[in-house]
């Protein structure tokens, strides 16, 4: 039974990679079209994540930056800033990560990712040896995100 689940998971993942180029093509057409439509930010967001799935992070970052520039009222704005902050943190660009985290926290933050924003903020502060700031971020995570799995 376990072996069949593993095989099924591998087949599902393979199917996803076959499907991704088609999805990317469709999202790019929507994102780059001159037609006015109200979900362009969603197309940019999903295009970015599909590119990330294919390890094309640089291209994904360009679409997330576009969301930040062109769609400040978008429900995807904080998510895009968060992804860019995580990637900057992983690349060792802690100043850029801090800038993006602060922007996301000062923007009306999405409650769904608030805990992760505090966590990445704390992680970035620790990597910069800013211990008081890291402590404050962890305290905010504990006090403002009661149901977060990061509390455990």
């Amino acid at each position: 039974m376990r072996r069949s689940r593993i095989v099924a998971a591998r087949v599902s993942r393979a199917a996803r990679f076959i499907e991704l180029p088609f999805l990317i093509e469709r999202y790019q057409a929507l994102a780059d079209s001159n037609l006015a439509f109200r979900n362009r930010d969603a197309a940019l967001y999903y295009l970015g994540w599909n590119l990330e799935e294919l390890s094309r992070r640089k291209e994904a970052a360009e679409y997330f930056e576009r969301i930040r520039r062109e769609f400040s009222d978008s429900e995807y704005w904080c998510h895009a800033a968060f992804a860019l902050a995580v990637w900057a943190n992983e690349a060792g660009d802690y100043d850029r990560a801090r800038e993006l985290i602060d922007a996301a926290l000062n923007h009306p933050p999405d409650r769904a990712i608030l805990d992760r924003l505090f966590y990445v903020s704390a992680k970035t502060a620790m990597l910069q040896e800013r211990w008081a700031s890291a402590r404050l971020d962890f305290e905010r995570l504990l006090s403002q995100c009661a149901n977060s799995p990061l509390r455990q």
Side-chain angles (χ1 to χ4, degrees), residues 45-46 49 64-65 67-68 74-87 100 104 107-114 116-117:
Y45 180 75
Y46 290 110
W49 279 119
F64 287 157
E65 286 291 356
I67 291 170
R68 291 187 63 238
S74 171
E75 65 184 286
Y76 302 102
W77 195 95
C78 280
H79 292 265
F82 173 73
L84 291 166
V86 168
W87 298 341
L100 290 160
H107 194 273
D110 185 336
R111 300 290 304 171
I113 63 167
L114 188 59
R116 290 176 280 161
L117 281 168

Side-chain angles (χ1 to χ4, degrees), residues 93 128 130:
D93 190 352
Q128 293 178 304
R130 295 174 45 238

Side-chain angles (χ1 to χ4, degrees), residues 2 5 7 45 51 62 64 101-102:
R2 178 167 157 57
R5 284 188 195 155
V7 170
Y45 180 75
L51 288 166
E62 291 172 14
F64 287 157
I101 292 164
D102 289 344

